[in-house]
Amino acid sequence: MRPSLIASLFALIPSMSLALEASHSLKNQTSYGLEDKNWQQLEWRLDSELYQPLEQGEVIGIIRSRFDIEDKLSSDDALSNYANMSDPLFQDKHALLEVRELYWQAGFDSSYWRIGKQQVVWGEADGIKLLDVVNPQSYREFILDEFDDSRIPLWMLNAEFQLGDQGTLQALWVLDTSTHELAPSGSPYRFTSPLLVPDSSAIPEGVSASLAEASSPETRLENSDFGLRYTSFVNNWDFSLNYLYHYVDEAVVSASLLGSELTLTPDYKRSHLMGGSASSVFGDWIVRTEIAYETDRYHRTQAAEPGVDKADQWGVLVGLDYQGLTDYFISVQWFQSNVLGQTDALVKNRQENTLSLMVERNLFNETLLLKWLHLHSTNHGDGVLQPQFSYNLESDLDIFLSMDIFYGNEEGLYGQFDDADRISVGFEWGF
Amino acid sequence: VTLNYHWIKDLGESHFFGMGIALLLVLIVSSLLLKSPVAGFYTLIPVVMSILLVYSSMVLLSISLGIGTSMFAAVAIGLGVDFAIHTIERMRSLYQEEQDMKKTFARFYPSTGRALLFNLLAIALGFGVLISSKVVPLNNFGAIVAISVVTSFIFSLTLLPALIMLFKPKFIVTESAKTQGSGLSASAGVLLVAVAGTGLLYQQDAQAADSPSGLPDANWVVEQINAVEEGRQSSSRLSMTLIDRRGKVRQRETISFRQYVGEEKQTVLYYLSPRNVKNTAFLIHDFPEVERDDDQWLYLPALRKARRISASDRGDYFLGTDFTYEDIKKEGKFEIADFSFKTLAKETLNGVDTIKLEAQPIDKKTARELGYGRQEIWVDTSNWIILKSEYWDIKLNPLKTLSVSDIRKIEGIWSRHNLKMTNHKTGHSSEFIFSDISYNKSIKNSVFTRQALSRGAPK
């Protein structure tokens, strides 16, 4: 974030009647790599949430500081995925200090406004992102950290308008052009799968390749993202209709061959996303579904040059939750993505299917939580298993023990991290 | 014949003069009662429209104004104005509660509209009997009165609300209307209480007489429990203390809001602390139809979204406490369709006179859903609040004990401030302490929507 922006925010403070409330959360996580027999992470994270009434609403901010004794998950290089306005205040391979969220929110008779750096979550899916693409994602720990932590908050204007008794129209204007944060080279979570990055084995003999640095789109008015969502509740169904005109947060790496020099240039492209979601309850069962159509998506091809091809894609997700067993929560999801058009020689299949299973068991008046999460790609036969044990030791103190076990083909989305299996232990203390 | 001629020759003139006086008096009385001349004018509209329609009908049906038929105006005004006064008074009180014309209408027609319809049927059929008379003037009188009350009813439930919707008169929409209305309600209330009280005493005696043991009928007691005033809306802070068998204490601070929309009860509860559950929110829409499941959503801050949750397991424990979702939802009342009740005794509990009831689920399915095979309840006879409950599981083993204390009137409504539920099987207990209870605090309707859950607790 620019110092001038911080200064202007702090300049507001004298005009407030100060009634600042603060609460904090201190989390420790220590992770040990099971394959490389080495510490992966010895991390301390402090989140301070600040609350201050302002005008007819309130200002809420979350300041995050993180310190990792290990240096495997971050690098000293500046993070190029952040727009200038969202840059962390400080960042190196061990530490990070950032204004994670900072917004003013207020509700009026038939409208609600939230202006500032924030997260917006769309859709009904758990852990699989089809409509939930307003905010980019941090892949610093791939998808292993909590959803709330992995989403990168953006500066935006978020307004909701009441339409009739049940309907709400949400309008988003996102000025922040930050994109996905990728794990740095040397990290156990750097992308190597040809599904995601250029395959070095596809480079012709005698040709040398160079990768230009990716940077997020410039912060200009015309680079803003715009979104609309209409939600309502009709005949026992919650549903939404969504539209987002945005920069896809995943860089498109295209290759150009000049003589014996292959230059790989990452770039960000715009797309229209149209979709919807719905959920309803039938006795003990809850049905959740999401569908999305995206234009102008780029997909990796097996050709060395340009290595990508443009095509529309669509995806569907159906989830079924069962709550018929006391203190159990069982959820299965099926997700399918489809590439349209005449694109040939795609690295991935035209149709990709993923299944997920989540089982949660609460014991002893919800002090002990046992959780099992399993994601599996049926196309590539790879996946990840995440058993977790969490215990509420005191009112505001939780301890946890978890494992993340990848399996399958190393060219797959999950299989690429087969060597990154880990066991983690830690605690979270609120005060 | 001469006498009749002198009688009848001025009939038309005196009829209209008399009707004018009657309308004027109705205008004055209505204006005074409703404390607004405009309201008095509105009251007359359905009656005047009805009388004009009756005159038109008389022309069409060739009914002349005679001694018998001339009386219709007095009867029509007297009966017809009732509908208008009921409509205005009820719309005024409903609007003050809802602050929304559409919601006012939605509540008005199923309740007062229905009552007025029954009123109409009774009056119209009563006077309509005269139509079968062989005495022509009586026959005409019966027909005219029936037409006039039917048209008064129709105008009172169509034209009058339409005008109110269109012009939003001050006597309906202003805040002072509430106090004016309550003034009328209060005076009417005194009368009603006097009348109803007599009936109640009679009923109580009758119930007591019904039981050979001299104990009041259990269903009647449950009706009193369910009739305890809880306000159309409320807000309160709730502090939960959860203690396990080893004495480990966990604390939760929450804030909750409740409102009725018609007969639908909407409740939302937000966690304020500790930090690991802060902003977790639970929203429930509880419908009056027994067979209809509630709509429930749970907002999880870790996911940043509200998810729909099943309402079918009413006996599941509410977010780690010893209260079930059903206990939380019913707030010390009963779903009558779930139980059969029996009066066990009159007992003194901690110096308070109580009636001890037994409640048994009506069948095994209900018992499984609720998680209870039997309950014993001690009810304070002075305010019909449950002071204590013993619960047995579906195998009839002792399960839980609820103790209620610190019961005080807040804004005129008996309010429970301390609930302690102890689970004998697990040794775990939950103590709920309510504070900052208010039945008047303004709450926006939007608070009770799924979208609002992500915005945090309203300040």
Side-chain angles (χ1 to χ4, degrees), chain A residues 21 23-25 47-49 51 58 62 101 103 105 107-109 112 114 119 121-126 146-148 151 160 162 165-166 168 229 231-233 236-239 279-281 283-286 288 290 321 323-327 329 331 358 364-367 391-398 429-431, chain B residues 100 102-103 240 242-244 246 248-252 264 266 271-279 285 287 292-297 299-313 315-323 325 423 426 428-430 444-446 449-452 454-459:
Chain A
E21 289 175 23
S23 63
H24 315 274
S25 157
D47 278 353
S48 294
E49 185 177 320
Y51 166 86
E58 58 218 19
I62 300 176
E101 295 187 33
Y103 55 82
Q105 68 171 4
F108 301 95
D109 283 345
Y112 161 80
R114 184 180 276 188
Q119 296 187 32
V121 181
W122 279 4
E124 297 283 349
D126 284 340
E146 289 176 17
F147 304 133
D148 193 40
R151 224 177 270 115
E160 293 182 14
Q162 188 78 30
D165 279 348
Q166 299 287 349
T168 304
R229 181 185 68 166
T231 51
S232 190
F233 182 67
N236 202 29
W237 282 87
D238 282 294
F239 74 88
S279 69
S280 189
V281 62
D284 293 326
W285 298 88
I286 289 121
R288 296 177 286 116
E290 247 181 71
D321 303 338
Q323 296 181 343
L325 294 171
T326 300
D327 291 328
F329 177 76
S331 171
M358 183 166 76
F364 312 127
N365 290 81
E366 297 193 7
T367 46
Y391 185 68
N392 184 222
L393 200 62
E394 298 289 339
S395 292
D396 41 22
L397 178 62
D398 291 300
W429 174 44
F431 58 102
Chain B
D100 181 278
K102 280 186 181 170
K103 286 182 180 171
M240 303 177 183
L242 314 179
I243 306 171
D244 74 7
R246 290 169 300 161
K248 190 180 90 176
V249 178
R250 291 184 297 153
Q251 204 75 36
R252 303 270 185 270
E264 181 187 326
Q266 302 178 341
Y271 278 79
L272 304 174
S273 72
R275 174 69 195 234
N276 54 6
V277 290
K278 186 180 176 184
N279 292 329
H285 289 183
F287 301 100
R292 184 173 173 187
D293 278 346
D294 306 332
D295 293 335
Q296 297 183 353
W297 294 266
Y299 176 77
L300 298 167
L303 298 178
R304 297 251 178 168
K305 64 184 174 191
R307 66 188 318 153
R308 189 79 184 276
I309 58 172
S310 163
S312 57
D313 274 351
D316 277 1
Y317 285 103
F318 178 75
L319 301 175
T321 71
D322 295 285
F323 292 85
Y325 280 87
N423 188 316
T426 62
H428 193 275
S429 68
S430 305
K444 287 179 190 166
N445 281 331
S446 59
T449 61
R450 179 191 187 184
Q451 286 76 21
S454 63
R455 300 169 192 165
K459 301 294 176 188

Side-chain angles (χ1 to χ4, degrees), chain A residues 106-119:
Chain A
F108 301 95
D109 283 345
S110 56
S111 67
Y112 161 80
W113 297 78
R114 184 180 276 188
I115 302 167
K117 195 179 188 191
Q118 59 189 291
Q119 296 187 32

